[in-house]
Amino acid sequence: MTKRVLIVKTSSMGDVLHTLPALTDASNAVKDIRFDWVVEENFAQIPSWHFAVDQVIPVAIRRWRKSWFSSDTRAERKRFIDQLQLQQYDAVIDAQGLIKSAFLITRKARGIKHGLDKKSAREPIASWFYDVKHFVAKDCHAVERVRKLFAESLNYSLPKEIGDYAIANHFLSVLPKDNQQYLVFLHSTTRDDKHWTEDEWRALIKLIEPIGYKIKLPWGSAHEYERSLRLAKAFSHVEVLPKSSLAEIATILAGAKAVVSVDTGLSHLTAALDRPNITLYGPTDPKLIGGYGLNQNSLISPQKSMQTILATEVYEKLALII
């Protein structure tokens, strides 16, 4: 008989991606297990790429909270709860560990509810809403924490080998024709102090020019598009991509020879696609939430400032990959 499990992991992009290896572990350990997944609507494509996911249930808490009590939002929330409660689950795993996910989603799902205990959850009060509470140490990488939570919740031994996102094959059949002949530079992030300077990006682009690789620049907002245009100006080997969906960007990343990125969600997507990546870190520490997987490289500023990372340093690391 199929074992049906609901995952509650709504956001952010990196957190959603970090959950995928746990599904692979569980699928290898538990016969006939299948998953449904509650996720923020902006990231709803990601769970569908994993072979063990049957149904993706989009939620829109980020959008709803702007007009929580409007009639349209109330009606949309009711439709979401109705969909959530259609299925009786063997287990409900809240991998978010936040009050909002536990209170608004997990407690209303049908099934035995598993989650982190008060010593493990990011917001300890969230543990009040779980039937079974699990301790998972906070001093390990986010991917390993979720893998441990799933193993405890579904009663199997945690594999010793590195976690497998199991989504790279999803994109193999649609790789670009110029596969492996280009690099991708991910220059966009939400925090100003995680940005690398435009002067150093352009210096790196110039260093790449003589060796013949094209460079692709994805973007997601108007100001990111303008930055892409500035970085590409006067360089014939740089392409500013058109506005793209997450799946289209994933396809571009999957076909890249290598990627250079700042600390951003798309960097985690690169890791999930098993592409070689150099991620630049200033104020953030990659130990617990950095790139996880094969061929992931960190370049960390000792001064915790992106301003101190030089294009020549990045190029030296990149030359070892390409």
Side-chain angles (χ1 to χ4, degrees):
M1 181 180 294
T2 300
K3 187 178 183 69
R4 301 210 63 85
V5 177
L6 178 70
I7 303 167
V8 179
K9 188 69 165 182
T10 60
S11 62
S12 60
M13 185 192 301
D15 289 343
V16 173
L17 289 162
H18 285 162
T19 306
L20 295 170
L23 275 72
T24 309
D25 292 345
S27 298
N28 291 334
V30 182
K31 184 179 180 181
D32 295 329
I33 193 169
R34 301 299 298 174
F35 294 93
D36 293 346
W37 191 327
V38 178
V39 64
E40 273 284 344
E41 57 187 0
N42 290 342
F43 308 123
Q45 295 177 72
I46 296 173
S48 69
W49 300 336
H50 196 281
F51 66 86
V53 174
D54 284 341
Q55 181 181 202
V56 178
I57 306 175
V59 68
I61 294 174
R62 292 181 174 184
R63 176 167 53 82
W64 292 342
R65 64 189 179 193
K66 298 176 182 178
S67 56
W68 190 262
F69 297 105
S70 72
S71 58
D72 287 346
T73 298
R74 290 200 307 270
E76 196 172 347
R77 293 205 314 266
K78 184 181 184 305
R79 289 194 295 271
F80 165 73
I81 295 301
D82 289 344
Q83 183 182 10
L84 182 69
Q85 295 181 334
L86 285 174
Q87 176 73 47
Q88 175 70 41
Y89 292 99
D90 297 292
V92 177
I93 303 177
D94 186 332
Q96 196 76 30
L98 298 178
I99 297 170
K100 67 179 181 181
S101 61
F103 179 76
L104 297 174
I105 303 170
T106 305
R107 75 182 180 96
K108 296 183 179 182
R110 298 171 60 206
I112 299 173
K113 299 163 182 62
H114 296 259
L116 298 168
D117 68 13
K118 64 182 181 181
K119 294 182 179 180
S120 310
R122 280 191 283 177
E123 297 179 354
I125 293 175
S127 66
W128 294 359
F129 301 98
Y130 309 142
D131 300 315
V132 186
K133 305 163 189 181
H134 304 280
F135 172 77
V136 178
K138 291 183 177 180
D139 61 349
C140 57
H141 193 280
V143 171
E144 296 300 333
R145 296 193 78 217
V146 182
R147 294 178 76 196
K148 178 68 172 176
L149 174 62
F150 272 55
E152 294 286 337
S153 299
L154 299 173
N155 195 29
Y156 60 84
S157 298
L158 183 67
K160 294 181 180 179
E161 58 268 24
I162 190 170
D164 179 8
Y165 295 93
I167 65 170
N169 287 340
H170 181 87
F171 297 94
L172 288 179
S173 62
V174 291
L175 287 179
K177 293 181 180 179
D178 55 346
N179 183 28
Q180 305 296 302
Q181 300 305 309
Y182 62 87
L183 311 175
V184 177
F185 286 0
L186 301 175
H187 60 82
S188 300
T189 185
T190 54
R191 279 174 47 181
D192 287 343
D193 60 354
K194 294 198 296 184
H195 279 293
W196 198 28
T197 69
E198 291 186 22
D199 286 345
E200 292 302 321
W201 274 120
R202 285 181 58 83
L204 180 60
I205 289 169
K206 189 172 183 178
L207 287 169
I208 294 297
E209 191 170 17
I211 62 176
Y213 282 102
K214 296 179 181 179
I215 297 170
K216 296 180 184 288
L217 302 179
W219 54 274
S221 64
H223 69 273
E224 292 171 0
Y225 176 65
E226 293 299 326
R227 187 189 302 115
S228 295
L229 292 178
R230 291 193 299 271
L231 296 179
K233 187 176 181 180
F235 290 117
S236 61
H237 65 301
V238 180
E239 176 188 2
V240 177
L241 296 175
K243 181 73 171 179
S244 306
S245 69
L246 190 57
E248 289 168 337
I249 292 174
T251 301
I252 294 294
L253 291 170
K257 178 69 173 179
V259 178
V260 178
S261 64
V262 293
D263 182 10
T264 182
L266 291 179
S267 178
H268 297 296
L269 179 56
T270 303
L273 294 168
D274 298 330
R275 299 316 305 142
N277 185 20
I278 299 171
T279 306
L280 314 182
Y281 293 96
T284 50
D285 184 352
K287 179 180 178 182
L288 301 182
I289 56 171
Y292 175 99
L294 302 175
N295 303 311
Q296 300 306 297
N297 305 277
S298 299
L299 203 166
I300 307 168
S301 166
Q303 296 82 18
K304 301 295 182 182
S305 171
M306 296 293 285
Q307 311 293 322
T308 65
I309 298 176
L310 301 178
T312 50
E313 296 178 86
V314 181
Y315 181 77
E316 287 173 3
K317 278 186 170 288
L318 189 59
L320 298 175
I321 298 174
I322 59 178

